[in-house]
Coordinates of all heavy atoms in Angstrom, one line a residue:
L23 N -33.6 -33.6 -12.8 CA -34.8 -34.2 -13.6 C -36.0 -33.4 -13.4 O -36.7 -33.0 -14.3 CB -35.1 -35.6 -13.1 CG -36.3 -36.3 -13.8 CD1 -36.3 -36.4 -15.2 CD2 -36.6 -37.7 -13.1
A24 N -36.3 -33.0 -12.0 CA -37.5 -32.2 -11.7 C -37.4 -30.8 -12.4 O -38.4 -30.4 -13.0 CB -37.5 -32.0 -10.2
T25 N -36.2 -30.2 -12.4 CA -36.0 -28.8 -13.0 C -36.3 -28.9 -14.4 O -37.0 -28.1 -15.0 CB -34.7 -28.3 -12.7 OG1 -34.5 -28.1 -11.3 CG2 -34.6 -26.9 -13.3
S26 N -35.7 -30.0 -15.1 CA -35.9 -30.1 -16.5 C -37.3 -30.3 -16.9 O -37.9 -29.9 -18.0 CB -35.0 -31.2 -17.1 OG -35.5 -32.5 -16.7
E27 N -38.1 -30.9 -16.0 CA -39.5 -31.2 -16.4 C -40.4 -29.9 -16.0 O -41.4 -29.7 -16.6 CB -40.0 -32.4 -15.7 CG -39.4 -33.7 -16.2 CD -40.0 -34.9 -15.4 OE1 -40.6 -34.9 -14.4 OE2 -39.7 -36.0 -16.0
L28 N -39.9 -29.2 -14.9 CA -40.9 -28.2 -14.4 C -40.7 -26.8 -15.1 O -41.7 -26.0 -15.3 CB -40.6 -28.0 -12.9 CG -41.1 -29.1 -12.1 CD1 -40.6 -29.0 -10.5 CD2 -42.5 -29.3 -11.9
A29 N -39.5 -26.4 -15.4 CA -39.2 -25.2 -15.9 C -39.6 -25.0 -17.4 O -38.7 -25.0 -18.3 CB -37.7 -24.8 -15.7
A30 N -40.8 -24.8 -17.5 CA -41.3 -24.6 -19.0 C -40.6 -23.4 -19.8 O -40.3 -23.8 -20.9 CB -42.8 -24.3 -18.8
P31 N -40.3 -22.4 -19.3 CA -39.5 -21.3 -20.1 C -38.1 -21.8 -20.5 O -37.6 -21.3 -21.5 CB -39.5 -20.1 -19.1 CG -40.6 -20.3 -18.1 CD -40.6 -21.8 -17.9
F32 N -37.6 -22.7 -19.8 CA -36.2 -23.2 -20.0 C -36.1 -24.3 -21.0 O -35.0 -24.7 -21.5 CB -35.4 -23.5 -18.8 CG -35.3 -22.5 -17.8 CD1 -35.4 -22.7 -16.4 CD2 -35.4 -21.1 -18.2 CE1 -35.3 -21.7 -15.5 CE2 -35.2 -20.1 -17.3 CZ -35.2 -20.4 -15.9
K33 N -37.3 -25.0 -21.3 CA -37.3 -26.2 -22.1 C -36.8 -25.9 -23.5 O -36.2 -26.7 -24.1 CB -38.6 -26.8 -22.0 CG -39.0 -27.5 -20.8 CD -40.4 -28.2 -20.9 CE -40.7 -29.0 -19.5 NZ -41.8 -29.8 -19.5
K34 N -37.0 -24.7 -24.1 CA -36.6 -24.3 -25.4 C -35.1 -24.2 -25.4 O -34.4 -24.7 -26.4 CB -37.2 -23.0 -25.8 CG -38.7 -23.0 -26.0 CD -39.3 -21.8 -26.4 CE -40.8 -21.7 -26.6 NZ -41.4 -20.4 -27.0
I35 N -34.4 -23.8 -24.2 CA -33.1 -23.8 -24.3 C -32.4 -25.2 -24.3 O -31.5 -25.5 -24.9 CB -32.6 -22.9 -23.0 CG1 -33.0 -21.5 -23.1 CG2 -31.1 -23.1 -22.9 CD1 -32.8 -20.7 -21.9
I36 N -33.1 -26.0 -23.5 CA -32.6 -27.4 -23.3 C -32.7 -28.1 -24.7 O -31.9 -28.8 -25.1 CB -33.4 -28.1 -22.3 CG1 -33.0 -27.6 -20.8 CG2 -33.0 -29.6 -22.3 CD1 -33.9 -28.1 -19.7
A37 N -33.9 -27.8 -25.3 CA -34.2 -28.5 -26.5 C -33.2 -28.0 -27.7 O -33.1 -28.7 -28.6 CB -35.7 -28.3 -27.0
A38 N -32.8 -26.8 -27.6 CA -31.9 -26.3 -28.6 C -30.5 -26.9 -28.6 O -29.7 -26.6 -29.6 CB -31.9 -24.7 -28.5
L39 N -30.2 -27.7 -27.6 CA -28.8 -28.2 -27.6 C -28.6 -29.4 -28.5 O -29.6 -30.2 -28.6 CB -28.5 -28.6 -26.1 CG -27.1 -29.2 -25.9 CD1 -26.1 -28.0 -25.8 CD2 -27.1 -30.0 -24.6
P40 N -27.7 -29.4 -29.3 CA -27.5 -30.5 -30.3 C -27.5 -31.8 -29.4 O -26.9 -31.9 -28.4 CB -25.9 -30.3 -30.8 CG -25.9 -28.8 -30.7 CD -26.6 -28.3 -29.4
P41 N -28.2 -32.8 -30.0 CA -28.4 -34.1 -29.3 C -27.0 -34.7 -28.9 O -26.9 -35.3 -27.7 CB -29.1 -35.0 -30.3 CG -29.9 -34.0 -31.1 CD -29.0 -32.8 -31.2
H42 N -26.0 -34.7 -29.8 CA -24.8 -35.4 -29.5 C -24.0 -34.7 -28.2 O -23.1 -35.3 -27.7 CB -23.9 -35.3 -30.6 CG -23.4 -34.0 -31.0 ND1 -24.0 -33.1 -31.8 CD2 -22.1 -33.5 -30.8 CE1 -23.2 -32.0 -32.0 NE2 -22.1 -32.2 -31.3
K43 N -24.4 -33.4 -27.8 CA -23.8 -32.8 -26.6 C -24.6 -33.0 -25.3 O -24.2 -32.6 -24.3 CB -23.6 -31.3 -27.0 CG -22.8 -31.0 -28.1 CD -22.5 -29.5 -28.2 CE -21.5 -29.2 -29.3 NZ -21.3 -27.7 -29.6
M44 N -25.8 -33.5 -25.5 CA -26.7 -33.5 -24.4 C -26.1 -34.2 -23.2 O -26.2 -33.8 -22.0 CB -28.1 -34.2 -24.7 CG -29.2 -34.2 -23.6 SD -29.7 -32.4 -23.2 CE -30.5 -32.1 -24.8
S45 N -25.5 -35.5 -23.4 CA -25.1 -36.3 -22.2 C -23.9 -35.6 -21.5 O -24.0 -35.5 -20.2 CB -24.5 -37.6 -22.7 OG -24.0 -38.4 -21.6
K46 N -23.0 -35.0 -22.2 CA -21.9 -34.2 -21.5 C -22.4 -33.1 -20.8 O -21.9 -32.8 -19.6 CB -20.9 -33.8 -22.6 CG -19.7 -33.1 -22.0 CD -18.8 -32.6 -23.1 CE -17.5 -31.9 -22.5 NZ -16.5 -31.5 -23.7
V47 N -23.4 -32.3 -21.3 CA -23.8 -31.1 -20.7 C -24.7 -31.5 -19.5 O -24.5 -30.8 -18.4 CB -24.7 -30.2 -21.7 CG1 -25.3 -29.1 -20.9 CG2 -23.8 -29.6 -22.7
V48 N -25.4 -32.5 -19.5 CA -26.3 -32.9 -18.3 C -25.5 -33.4 -17.2 O -25.7 -33.1 -16.1 CB -27.3 -34.0 -18.7 CG1 -28.0 -34.6 -17.5 CG2 -28.4 -33.3 -19.7

């Protein structure tokens, strides 16, 4: 949770994941 909130340069990568895959990848 902390990394996903703190790592501004990575947020675009996280946001690019199709929503239906998010739960499995996390």
Side-chain angles (χ1 to χ4, degrees):
L23 175 62
T25 300
S26 68
E27 292 184 348
L28 293 169
F32 301 150
K33 288 186 177 181
K34 291 178 182 177
I35 297 173
I36 296 170
L39 186 74
H42 70 278
K43 294 184 178 181
M44 186 65 70
S45 178
K46 180 180 179 180
V47 171
V48 169

